[in-house]
Coordinates of all heavy atoms in Angstrom, one line a residue:
M191 N 7.8 -7.2 6.4 CA 8.9 -6.6 6.9 C 9.7 -5.7 5.9 O 10.2 -4.6 6.3 CB 9.9 -7.6 7.6 CG 10.8 -7.0 8.6 SD 10.0 -6.5 10.1 CE 11.3 -5.6 10.9
N192 N 9.7 -6.3 4.6 CA 10.4 -5.4 3.6 C 9.7 -4.1 3.4 O 10.4 -3.1 3.3 CB 10.3 -6.2 2.3 CG 11.2 -7.5 2.3 OD1 12.2 -7.6 3.2 ND2 11.0 -8.4 1.5
I193 N 8.4 -4.2 3.5 CA 7.7 -2.8 3.3 C 8.0 -1.9 4.5 O 8.2 -0.7 4.4 CB 6.2 -3.1 3.0 CG1 6.0 -3.9 1.7 CG2 5.5 -1.7 2.9 CD1 6.5 -3.2 0.5
L194 N 7.9 -2.4 5.7 CA 8.1 -1.7 6.9 C 9.5 -1.0 6.9 O 9.6 0.2 7.1 CB 8.0 -2.5 8.2 CG 8.4 -1.8 9.5 CD1 7.8 -0.6 9.7 CD2 8.3 -2.8 10.6
N195 N 10.5 -1.8 6.4 CA 11.9 -1.3 6.3 C 12.0 -0.2 5.3 O 12.9 0.7 5.4 CB 12.8 -2.5 6.1 CG 13.1 -3.3 7.3 OD1 13.1 -2.7 8.4 ND2 13.5 -4.5 7.2
Y196 N 11.1 -0.2 4.4 CA 11.1 0.8 3.3 C 10.6 2.1 3.9 O 11.2 3.2 3.6 CB 10.1 0.4 2.2 CG 10.1 1.4 1.0 CD1 11.0 1.2 -0.1 CD2 9.3 2.5 1.0 CE1 10.9 2.0 -1.1 CE2 9.3 3.4 0.0 CZ 10.1 3.1 -1.2 OH 10.1 4.0 -2.2
Y197 N 9.7 2.1 4.9 CA 9.3 3.3 5.5 C 10.1 3.8 6.6 O 10.4 4.9 6.9 CB 7.9 3.2 6.0 CG 6.8 2.7 5.0 CD1 6.0 1.8 5.3 CD2 6.8 3.4 3.8 CE1 5.1 1.4 4.3 CE2 5.9 3.0 2.7 CZ 5.1 2.0 3.1 OH 4.2 1.6 2.0
Y198 N 10.7 2.8 7.4 CA 11.5 3.0 8.6 C 12.3 1.7 8.9 O 11.7 0.7 9.3 CB 10.7 3.4 9.8 CG 11.6 4.0 10.8 CD1 11.6 5.4 11.0 CD2 12.3 3.2 11.7 CE1 12.4 6.0 11.9 CE2 13.1 3.8 12.8 CZ 13.1 5.2 12.8 OH 13.9 5.8 13.8
Y199 N 13.6 1.8 8.7 CA 14.3 0.6 8.8 C 14.6 0.1 10.2 O 15.0 0.8 11.1 CB 15.7 0.8 8.2 CG 16.5 -0.6 8.2 CD1 16.3 -1.6 7.2 CD2 17.5 -0.8 9.2 CE1 17.0 -2.8 7.3 CE2 18.2 -2.0 9.3 CZ 18.0 -2.9 8.3 OH 18.7 -4.1 8.4
F200 N 14.2 -1.2 10.6 CA 14.4 -1.9 11.8 C 15.4 -2.9 11.7 O 16.5 -2.8 12.3 CB 13.1 -2.5 12.2 CG 12.1 -1.5 12.9 CD1 11.2 -0.7 12.1 CD2 12.0 -1.4 14.3 CE1 10.4 0.2 12.8 CE2 11.1 -0.5 14.9 CZ 10.4 0.3 14.1
I201 N 15.2 -4.0 11.0 CA 16.1 -5.1 10.8 C 15.5 -6.0 9.8 O 14.3 -6.1 9.5 CB 16.2 -5.9 12.2 CG1 17.3 -6.9 12.2 CG2 14.9 -6.4 12.5 CD1 17.5 -7.7 13.5
N202 N 16.4 -6.7 9.1 CA 15.9 -7.5 8.0 C 15.1 -8.8 8.5 O 14.2 -9.4 7.8 CB 17.0 -8.1 7.1 CG 17.6 -7.0 6.3 OD1 16.9 -6.2 5.8 ND2 19.0 -7.0 6.1
E203 N 15.3 -9.2 9.7 CA 14.7 -10.4 10.3 C 13.2 -9.9 10.6 O 12.9 -8.8 11.0 CB 15.3 -10.8 11.6 CG 14.7 -11.9 12.4 CD 15.4 -12.2 13.6 OE1 16.5 -11.7 13.9 OE2 14.8 -13.0 14.5
D204 N 12.2 -10.9 10.4 CA 10.8 -10.7 10.8 C 10.5 -10.8 12.2 O 9.9 -11.7 12.7 CB 10.0 -11.6 10.0 CG 8.5 -11.5 10.1 OD1 8.1 -10.3 10.5 OD2 7.7 -12.2 9.6
I205 N 10.9 -9.7 12.9 CA 10.8 -9.7 14.3 C 9.3 -9.5 14.9 O 9.1 -9.7 16.0 CB 11.7 -8.7 15.0 CG1 11.4 -7.2 14.5 CG2 13.2 -9.0 14.8 CD1 12.1 -6.2 15.3
F206 N 8.4 -9.1 13.9 CA 7.1 -8.7 14.3 C 6.1 -9.8 13.9 O 4.9 -9.5 13.8 CB 6.6 -7.4 13.8 CG 7.5 -6.2 14.3 CD1 8.1 -5.2 13.5 CD2 7.7 -6.1 15.7 CE1 9.0 -4.2 14.1 CE2 8.5 -5.1 16.3 CZ 9.1 -4.2 15.4
Y207 N 6.6 -10.9 13.3 CA 5.6 -11.9 12.8 C 4.8 -11.6 11.7 O 3.5 -12.1 11.8 CB 5.0 -12.6 14.0 CG 5.9 -13.3 15.1 CD1 6.3 -12.6 16.2 CD2 6.5 -14.5 14.7 CE1 7.1 -13.2 17.1 CE2 7.4 -15.0 15.6 CZ 7.7 -14.4 16.8 OH 8.5 -15.0 17.7
F208 N 5.1 -10.9 10.8 CA 4.2 -10.6 9.6 C 4.0 -11.8 8.9 O 2.8 -12.0 8.3 CB 4.9 -9.5 8.7 CG 5.0 -8.2 9.3 CD1 6.2 -7.6 9.7 CD2 3.9 -7.4 9.3 CE1 6.3 -6.3 10.1 CE2 3.9 -6.0 9.8 CZ 5.1 -5.5 10.2
N209 N 4.8 -12.8 8.8 CA 4.6 -14.1 8.3 C 3.5 -14.9 8.9 O 3.0 -15.9 8.5 CB 5.8 -15.0 8.1 CG 6.3 -15.3 9.5 OD1 6.0 -14.8 10.5 ND2 7.3 -16.3 9.4
R210 N 3.0 -14.4 10.1 CA 1.9 -15.1 10.8 C 0.7 -14.2 11.0 O -0.1 -14.5 11.8 CB 2.4 -15.6 12.1 CG 3.5 -16.8 11.9 CD 4.0 -17.2 13.2 NE 3.0 -17.7 14.2 CZ 3.4 -18.2 15.4 NH1 4.5 -18.0 15.9 NH2 2.3 -18.6 16.2
G211 N 0.6 -13.2 10.1 CA -0.7 -12.4 10.2 C -0.6 -11.1 10.7 O -1.7 -10.4 10.7
T212 N 0.5 -10.6 11.2 CA 0.6 -9.2 11.8 C 0.3 -8.2 10.7 O 0.7 -8.3 9.7 CB 2.0 -9.1 12.4 OG1 2.2 -10.0 13.5 CG2 2.1 -7.6 13.0
E213 N -0.3 -7.2 11.1 CA -0.6 -5.9 10.2 C 0.0 -4.8 10.7 O 0.1 -4.6 12.0 CB -2.1 -5.8 10.0 CG -2.9 -6.8 9.4 CD -4.4 -6.6 9.4 OE1 -5.1 -6.8 10.4 OE2 -4.9 -6.1 8.3
G214 N 0.4 -3.9 9.9 CA 1.1 -2.6 10.3 C 0.4 -1.4 9.7 O 0.0 -1.3 8.5
I215 N 0.4 -0.3 10.5 CA 0.0 1.0 10.0 C 1.2 2.0 10.4 O 1.7 1.9 11.4 CB -1.2 1.4 10.7 CG1 -2.5 0.5 10.4 CG2 -1.5 3.0 10.3 CD1 -2.9 0.7 9.0
F216 N 1.6 2.8 9.4 CA 2.7 3.8 9.6 C 2.2 5.1 9.2 O 1.7 5.2 8.0 CB 4.0 3.3 8.9 CG 5.2 4.2 9.1 CD1 6.0 4.0 10.2 CD2 5.5 5.3 8.2 CE1 7.1 4.7 10.4 CE2 6.6 6.0 8.5 CZ 7.4 5.9 9.6
Y217 N 2.3 6.2 9.9 CA 2.0 7.5 9.4 C 2.9 8.5 10.2 O 3.5 8.3 11.3 CB 0.5 7.8 9.7 CG -0.1 7.7 11.0 CD1 -0.1 8.8 11.9 CD2 -0.4 6.5 11.7 CE1 -0.5 8.8 13.1 CE2 -0.8 6.4 13.1 CZ -0.9 7.7 13.8 OH -1.4 7.5 15.0
E218 N 2.8 9.7 9.7 CA 3.6 10.8 10.3 C 2.7 11.6 11.3 O 1.6 12.1 10.8 CB 4.1 11.8 9.3 CG 5.1 12.8 9.8 CD 5.8 13.6 8.7 OE1 5.6 13.3 7.5 OE2 6.5 14.6 9.1
G219 N 3.1 11.7 12.5 CA 2.4 12.5 13.5 C 2.9 13.9 13.5 O 3.7 14.3 12.7
K220 N 2.5 14.7 14.6 CA 2.7 16.1 14.7 C 4.3 16.3 14.9 O 5.0 17.1 14.3 CB 2.0 16.7 15.7 CG 2.2 18.2 15.9 CD 1.2 18.8 16.9 CE 1.5 20.4 17.0 NZ 0.7 20.9 18.1
N221 N 4.8 15.3 15.8 CA 6.3 15.6 16.2 C 7.1 14.3 15.9 O 8.3 14.4 16.3 CB 6.3 15.8 17.7 CG 5.6 17.1 18.1 OD1 5.9 18.2 17.6 ND2 4.6 17.1 19.0
G222 N 6.6 13.3 15.1 CA 7.5 12.2 14.9 C 6.6 11.2 14.1 O 5.5 11.4 13.6
F223 N 7.2 10.0 13.9 CA 6.4 8.9 13.3 C 5.8 8.0 14.1 O 6.3 7.8 15.3 CB 7.4 8.2 12.3 CG 8.1 9.0 11.2 CD1 9.3 9.5 11.2 CD2 7.3 9.5 10.1 CE1 9.9 10.3 10.3 CE2 7.9 10.2 9.0 CZ 9.1 10.7 9.2
I224 N 4.7 7.3 13.7 CA 4.0 6.4 14.5 C 3.7 5.1 13.7 O 3.2 5.2 12.6 CB 2.7 7.0 15.0 CG1 3.0 8.3 15.8 CG2 1.9 6.0 15.8 CD1 1.6 9.1 16.1
L225 N 4.2 4.1 14.5 CA 4.1 2.7 13.9 C 3.0 1.9 14.7 O 3.2 1.8 16.0 CB 5.3 2.0 13.8 CG 5.3 0.5 13.4 CD1 4.8 0.3 12.1 CD2 6.7 -0.1 13.6
L226 N 2.1 1.4 14.2 CA 1.1 0.5 14.9 C 1.2 -0.9 14.5 O 1.2 -1.1 13.2 CB -0.3 1.1 14.7 CG -0.6 2.5 14.9 CD1 -2.1 3.0 14.7 CD2 -0.2 2.9 16.5
L227 N 1.3 -1.8 15.4 CA 1.4 -3.2 14.9 C 0.2 -3.9 15.6 O 0.1 -3.9 16.8 CB 2.8 -3.8 15.4 CG 4.0 -3.2 14.8 CD1 5.2 -3.6 15.6 CD2 4.1 -3.6 13.3
F228 N -0.5 -4.8 14.9 CA -1.7 -5.6 15.2 C -1.4 -7.0 15.2 O -1.1 -7.5 14.0 CB -2.9 -5.1 14.4 CG -3.2 -3.7 14.4 CD1 -2.5 -2.7 13.7 CD2 -4.3 -3.2 15.2 CE1 -2.9 -1.4 13.7 CE2 -4.6 -1.9 15.2 CZ -3.8 -1.0 14.6
F229 N -1.4 -7.7 16.2 CA -1.1 -9.1 16.3 C -2.3 -10.0 16.5 O -3.3 -9.7 16.9 CB -0.1 -9.4 17.5 CG 1.1 -8.6 17.4 CD1 1.3 -7.3 17.8 CD2 2.3 -9.2 16.8 CE1 2.5 -6.6 17.7 CE2 3.5 -8.5 16.6 CZ 3.6 -7.2 17.1
E230 N -2.1 -11.3 15.9 CA -3.1 -12.2 15.9 C -3.6 -12.6 17.3 O -4.6 -13.0 17.6 CB -2.7 -13.5 15.1 CG -2.6 -13.2 13.7 CD -4.0 -13.2 13.0 OE1 -4.8 -14.1 13.2 OE2 -4.3 -12.3 12.3
N231 N -2.5 -12.7 18.2 CA -2.7 -13.1 19.6 C -1.8 -12.5 20.6 O -0.8 -11.9 20.2 CB -2.8 -14.7 19.8 CG -1.5 -15.2 19.2 OD1 -0.4 -15.0 19.8 ND2 -1.5 -16.1 18.2
E232 N -2.1 -12.7 21.8 CA -1.4 -12.0 22.9 C 0.1 -12.5 23.1 O 1.0 -11.7 23.2 CB -2.1 -12.2 24.3 CG -1.4 -11.5 25.5 CD -1.7 -10.0 25.4 OE1 -2.5 -9.5 24.8 OE2 -0.9 -9.3 26.0
K233 N 0.2 -13.9 22.9 CA 1.6 -14.4 22.9 C 2.5 -13.9 21.8 O 3.7 -13.6 22.1 CB 1.5 -15.9 22.7 CG 2.8 -16.6 22.8 CD 2.6 -18.2 22.8 CE 4.0 -18.9 23.0 NZ 3.9 -20.4 22.9
M234 N 2.0 -13.8 20.6 CA 2.8 -13.2 19.4 C 3.2 -11.8 19.8 O 4.3 -11.3 19.5 CB 2.1 -13.3 18.2 CG 2.0 -14.7 17.5 SD 0.9 -14.8 16.2 CE 1.6 -13.4 15.1
C235 N 2.3 -11.0 20.4 CA 2.5 -9.7 20.7 C 3.6 -9.6 21.8 O 4.5 -8.7 21.6 CB 1.3 -9.1 21.3 SG 1.3 -7.2 21.5
E236 N 3.6 -10.4 22.8 CA 4.6 -10.5 23.8 C 5.9 -10.7 23.3 O 7.0 -10.1 23.6 CB 4.2 -11.4 25.0 CG 3.0 -11.0 25.8 CD 3.3 -9.9 26.7 OE1 4.5 -9.5 26.8 OE2 2.4 -9.4 27.3
V237 N 6.0 -11.8 22.5 CA 7.3 -12.2 21.8 C 7.9 -11.1 20.9 O 9.1 -10.7 21.0 CB 7.2 -13.5 21.2 CG1 8.5 -13.8 20.4 CG2 6.8 -14.6 22.0
A238 N 7.0 -10.4 20.2 CA 7.5 -9.3 19.2 C 7.9 -8.1 20.1 O 8.9 -7.5 19.7 CB 6.2 -8.8 18.5
L239 N 7.3 -8.0 21.3 CA 7.8 -6.8 22.2 C 9.2 -7.1 22.7 O 10.1 -6.2 22.7 CB 6.8 -6.7 23.3 CG 7.1 -5.5 24.2 CD1 7.1 -4.2 23.5 CD2 6.1 -5.5 25.3
K240 N 9.4 -8.4 23.1 CA 10.7 -8.9 23.5 C 11.7 -8.7 22.4 O 12.9 -8.1 22.6 CB 10.6 -10.3 23.9 CG 11.9 -10.9 24.4 CD 11.6 -12.4 25.0 CE 12.9 -13.1 25.5 NZ 13.9 -13.2 24.5
N241 N 11.4 -9.0 21.2 CA 12.2 -8.8 20.0 C 12.6 -7.3 19.8 O 13.7 -7.0 19.5 CB 11.6 -9.4 18.8 CG 11.6 -11.0 18.6 OD1 12.3 -11.6 19.4 ND2 10.7 -11.4 17.8
L242 N 11.6 -6.5 19.9 CA 11.8 -5.1 19.7 C 12.8 -4.6 20.7 O 13.7 -3.7 20.4 CB 10.5 -4.3 19.9 CG 10.4 -2.8 19.8 CD1 10.8 -2.4 18.5 CD2 9.1 -2.3 20.3

Side-chain angles (χ1 to χ4, degrees):
M191 198 71 193
N192 291 336
I193 298 297
L194 171 56
N195 284 333
Y196 186 93
Y197 303 134
Y198 195 99
Y199 184 78
F200 278 82
I201 187 175
N202 285 329
E203 181 185 347
D204 184 13
I205 60 174
F206 299 129
Y207 295 104
F208 288 108
N209 63 345
R210 293 176 60 183
T212 302
E213 296 178 281
I215 298 286
F216 185 84
Y217 63 96
E218 186 172 357
K220 185 177 180 181
N221 296 304
F223 298 104
I224 299 171
L225 169 64
L226 308 178
L227 297 166
F228 299 78
F229 296 87
E230 289 284 309
N231 55 62
E232 185 73 22
K233 184 177 179 181
M234 284 172 57
C235 187
E236 290 287 352
V237 176
L239 186 59
K240 182 173 179 289
N241 290 340
L242 177 68

